[in-house]
Amino acid sequence: MIRLGVLVSGNGTNLQAIIDAIEAKKLDAGVNVVISNNPNAYAIQRAKNHNIPVEVILNSTSSAREDYDSIIIETLKRYSVDLVVLAGFMRLLSSKFIRAFPMRIMNIHPALLPAFPGLNVQKKAIDYGVKFSGATVHFVDDGVDTGPIIIQAVVPVYDDDTEETLAERILKEEHRIYPYAIQLFAEGRLEIKGRRVIVKDSKKLEPPYLENPVVSSNKHLLK
Ligand code: GRF
C-alpha cells in the first residue's frame, strides 16, 4: 500500500474520488495527509470526514516560493509520503519541490494536454472551437502542465456548452482516471522513458473510435 500526500486548495472532488476508490478497495493506497494552502477549502472538511490528518499551510507563511515549498516538503516527509497528488492545488511548485519528489508528483488537468495548459481551460477550449476536450493525468516537471502524460480521457465539446457544463463533464472523467492512474503507480506499472510514460499491460481500444458531431447516425451523410 502506498502512502499519499494530497495537496488541495478548493472543493476537493478529486480528493473525494481518491478516498472513495480506496474505501471501495479499487485503489491500494492510503491518504496519509491532506495539505491545503486555503483555510476555507471544502476539501479540508472532506478529509476530516474520513479522519485524515490535515495541515493548513497558508500562502502567507512565507513570501519566497522555495521557503514555502520547504515547509510542504518537510510536512510530506514527516508523513513518509510515497506519492504527492496535486488535486486542484492552485500554486506553482518550485524546482526544489520537484527535485525532492522526482517523478513522484502527479497532477490532473482539465484539458487534453499539450492543448490548453494553465488556467480557465474549459473556456479556452470552447472559445477555440475544439470538438473534444478532456482530462489529463501527468507527472509534474519544471514547466506548467508539461510533464510526462500518464492517462487521458476524452469528452465531447457541444455547441451549447458553457464553461460550467463542460467543466462538469470533464470532472466526471477526472474522478474516474485519477484514482486509476494512482493505482497504476502503486502497481509499479508506469515506466518513464524520456517524455513517454509506458503503461505496462494496458488494454487497447477497438475501432470505431470517436467523432463529434456523430457521423454514423447522420443518415444523409451516409447515403
Ligand atoms: C479540477 O478540474 C482539476 O483538474 C484542476 O482543478 C480542479 C479541482 O477540482 N486542477 P476539485 O478541487 O478536485 O473538485
Side-chain angles (χ1 to χ4, degrees):
M1 188 197 274
I2 59 164
R3 299 171 64 87
L4 307 177
V6 183
L7 273 55
V8 297
S9 303
N11 191 2
T13 62
N14 278 289
L15 167 67
Q16 189 68 55
I18 292 163
I19 294 169
D20 292 348
I22 292 169
E23 292 187 349
K25 306 229 178 297
K26 289 181 184 163
L27 174 52
D28 193 18
V31 179
N32 290 79
V33 62
V34 167
I35 300 177
S36 176
N37 64 337
N38 171 10
N40 303 316
Y42 185 64
I44 295 174
Q45 187 56 46
R46 294 181 192 273
K48 287 186 175 162
N49 291 345
H50 296 266
N51 299 316
I52 296 167
V54 175
E55 304 274 351
V56 177
I57 305 175
L58 300 177
N59 290 336
S60 55
T61 313
S62 173
S63 51
R65 190 176 299 284
E66 292 226 339
D67 294 345
Y68 180 90
D69 283 4
S70 298
I71 299 167
I72 305 238
I73 294 166
E74 183 274 317
T75 308
L76 290 165
K77 296 223 155 137
R78 186 149 44 83
Y79 285 92
S80 307
V81 159
D82 300 306
L83 180 70
V84 181
V85 176
L86 306 183
F89 186 59
M90 301 304 286
R91 256 187 89 99
L92 295 176
L93 308 183
S94 64
S95 320
K96 182 176 181 177
F97 195 141
I98 316 284
R99 281 198 306 274
F101 295 94
M103 292 304 151
R104 287 195 293 131
I105 308 172
M106 275 188 199
N107 183 40
I108 189 149
H109 181 76
L112 293 177
L113 292 172
F116 312 120
L119 295 174
N120 306 319
V121 296
Q122 295 89 351
K123 182 172 187 319
K124 284 179 190 159
I126 292 171
D127 290 350
Y128 193 93
V130 291
K131 297 297 185 192
F132 288 100
S133 189
T136 303
V137 181
H138 63 95
F139 284 113
V140 175
D141 67 7
D142 272 323
V144 177
D145 302 321
T146 54
I149 292 171
I150 300 164
I151 182 168
Q152 297 186 300
V154 176
V155 306
V157 180
Y158 294 127
D159 296 344
D160 59 358
D161 262 328
T162 61
E163 240 178 286
E164 290 73 28
T165 57
L166 179 58
E168 193 184 329
R169 193 173 307 125
I170 293 171
L171 208 48
K172 276 200 187 129
E173 295 305 298
E174 295 185 32
H175 300 160
R176 233 164 39 83
I177 65 173
Y178 213 1
Y180 186 66
I182 298 166
Q183 178 61 17
L184 291 171
F185 180 91
E187 290 175 15
R189 286 171 60 193
L190 301 180
E191 190 186 328
I192 300 163
K193 287 191 177 169
R195 272 213 54 84
R196 301 184 71 200
V197 179
I198 310 301
V199 182
K200 292 180 210 156
D201 304 317
S202 55
K203 287 190 195 140
K204 289 185 176 160
L205 290 169
E206 296 290 337
Y209 303 118
L210 290 171
E211 76 272 341
N212 177 40
V214 173
V215 174
S216 49
S217 66
N218 197 337
K219 294 205 178 90
H220 76 272
L221 279 177
L222 289 175
K223 269 184 215 157

